[in-house]
Amino acid sequence: FTAVGGDVVPPVGPGGLTEGDLFMNKEVGAGGTVYYYANSKKYPFPNERVFLSWYPNFESVTIKKITPAEVGVILWGTNVRYRPGTRMVKVPDDPKVYAITPGGKVCWVKDEDIAKKFYGDTWNKKIDDLLASLFVSTYDHDPACDLALNSRYPTGTLLSHNSKPYYVDGANVRPVSGDALQGNRFRNEFMITVANLDGYAVGQPVGNTEFSRVVD
């Protein structure tokens, strides 16, 4: 419905949920599935590591508790994916490592030299293992974006140059203000410091909540 004055008010879902809420079944204890509510659907976080790519911890957010019946009437969405620019992923019995970009597209990081160039000497500590079934059902490998030594950083990467943050968006780097850092829940721990921004054009500043949504 439309409120007085013309402001559109998001519809309220089961259990009083509104767009962007985190919730879980109130009758399930520790270890229960946490969901993200959007598009009138429930999107499950498949594991703790995915959750922690979007939020710093469980204590700093509100996770609403709703009844099993209320959970049951909400339509299913897809799995929540890792936030682009945070962690790399691989399957335990496959040596290939992938960077994640928006839309669930993943790019192969072809060898150790390339990994070091883009993610530093501690690159191997920035990788999470995923079950093969979860990987193939959630992510799509695009060979066109596989990383070589002369590649740009993947879209979604946060760079720091001269102590100023930038968001990589294709061939552009977009300045990120303090308000945009906070509003989009960007975190310094995932920011990569670079000596220069050669090869990039400076694009429009990132909006204050432009990338705050957990799902597309």
Side-chain angles (χ1 to χ4, degrees):
F1 62 93
T2 302
V4 175
D7 294 330
V8 176
V9 178
V12 176
L17 296 174
T18 58
E19 192 84 2
D21 278 345
L22 300 170
F23 71 96
M24 62 186 302
N25 185 330
K26 67 188 299 182
E27 295 187 7
V28 177
T33 300
V34 177
Y35 297 93
Y36 182 82
Y37 184 74
N39 310 317
S40 299
K41 297 179 180 180
K42 56 177 180 271
Y43 296 82
F45 288 90
N47 57 47
E48 182 179 15
R49 299 300 296 178
V50 174
F51 183 91
L52 294 176
S53 74
W54 287 97
Y55 301 95
N57 51 56
F58 289 94
E59 292 70 35
S60 63
V61 297
T62 298
I63 301 176
K64 294 184 176 180
K65 305 293 181 67
I66 66 175
T67 68
E70 290 166 338
V71 173
V73 300
I74 304 172
L75 298 175
W76 283 100
T78 56
N79 284 320
V80 175
R81 297 186 287 256
Y82 274 91
R83 183 165 200 162
T86 56
R87 306 286 294 175
M88 294 178 284
V89 296
K90 68 181 294 295
V91 173
D93 50 2
D94 185 329
K96 288 185 175 180
V97 174
Y98 300 90
I100 299 171
T101 66
K105 183 172 68 174
V106 295
C107 313
W108 179 25
V109 184
K110 293 183 178 181
D111 58 40
E112 184 173 344
D113 288 340
I114 294 170
K116 283 184 177 180
K117 176 192 173 182
F118 287 98
Y119 301 104
D121 291 337
T122 58
W123 65 272
N124 58 343
K125 296 181 179 180
K126 301 175 181 179
I127 303 168
D128 288 345
D129 282 328
L130 290 180
L131 293 174
S133 56
L134 180 59
F135 179 81
V136 299
S137 65
T138 309
Y139 302 96
D140 293 310
H141 173 220
D142 181 3
C145 75
D146 289 346
L147 297 186
L149 287 173
N150 62 348
S151 297
R152 297 186 177 94
Y153 279 91
T155 291
T157 305
L158 284 178
L159 301 179
S160 175
H161 175 56
N162 289 337
S163 300
K164 295 179 180 179
Y166 296 86
Y167 177 90
V168 176
D169 191 356
N172 295 329
V173 287
R174 302 174 57 191
V176 184
S177 68
D179 288 341
L181 275 175
Q182 182 175 359
N184 289 290
R185 300 190 309 278
F186 290 143
R187 306 213 301 276
N188 289 336
E189 66 194 272
F190 297 126
M191 201 171 296
I192 298 171
T193 299
V194 295
N196 61 70
L197 297 174
D198 294 348
Y200 294 98
V202 177
Q204 292 294 315
V206 169
N208 287 354
T209 59
E210 183 176 351
F211 299 110
S212 62
R213 280 175 60 88
V214 169
V215 298
D216 300 329

